[in-house]
Amino acid sequence: MSHQVEFEKIAEDVKKVKTRPSDQQLLDLYSLYKQAVVGDINIAKPGMADMKAKAKWEAWNTRKGMSKEDAMSAYITLAKELIQKYGM
């Protein structure tokens, strides 16, 4: 299975976990996914009023400079851990 195919499959599978991961785990998944798919953050930082969007922006921004391939590998590893921990 190619790295890209594995990434796409695990991205779908992790959505099916039985228990909702913690907010921090979700932010980690989100930031790695965005870095793997888009690359470095390319949107303006949201205002203070939108706390959820701000948290997501800040999480993605921490991945700045990480290659898409490294982000994809880290995403796969984290998603597998979460699937094992929470079940599908």
Side-chain angles (χ1 to χ4, degrees), residues 30-31 34-35 38-47 50 52-62 64:
Y30 172 81
S31 63
K34 293 296 278 188
Q35 191 68 23
V38 178
D40 286 346
I41 195 159
N42 59 0
I43 57 172
K45 186 174 183 176
D50 192 347
K52 183 177 179 180
K54 185 174 179 265
K56 290 169 77 174
W57 186 94
E58 288 173 350
W60 184 11
N61 193 47
T62 66
K64 190 178 263 185

Side-chain angles (χ1 to χ4, degrees), residues 10-83:
I10 204 85
E12 287 303 312
D13 289 348
V14 79
K15 294 176 186 175
K16 301 172 188 168
V17 292
K18 291 179 182 175
T19 304
R20 184 182 186 275
S22 72
D23 287 346
Q24 187 56 56
Q25 290 167 328
L26 291 172
L27 284 172
D28 289 342
L29 277 175
Y30 172 81
S31 63
L32 288 167
Y33 182 87
K34 293 296 278 188
Q35 191 68 23
V37 173
V38 178
D40 286 346
I41 195 159
N42 59 0
I43 57 172
K45 186 174 183 176
M48 293 295 291
D50 192 347
M51 297 301 283
K52 183 177 179 180
K54 185 174 179 265
K56 290 169 77 174
W57 186 94
E58 288 173 350
W60 184 11
N61 193 47
T62 66
R63 307 294 180 184
K64 190 178 263 185
M66 180 184 253
S67 73
K68 288 184 176 185
E69 292 76 22
D70 287 347
M72 197 177 291
S73 293
Y75 181 91
I76 291 168
T77 299
L78 177 58
K80 284 180 178 179
E81 289 172 8
L82 294 177
I83 290 168

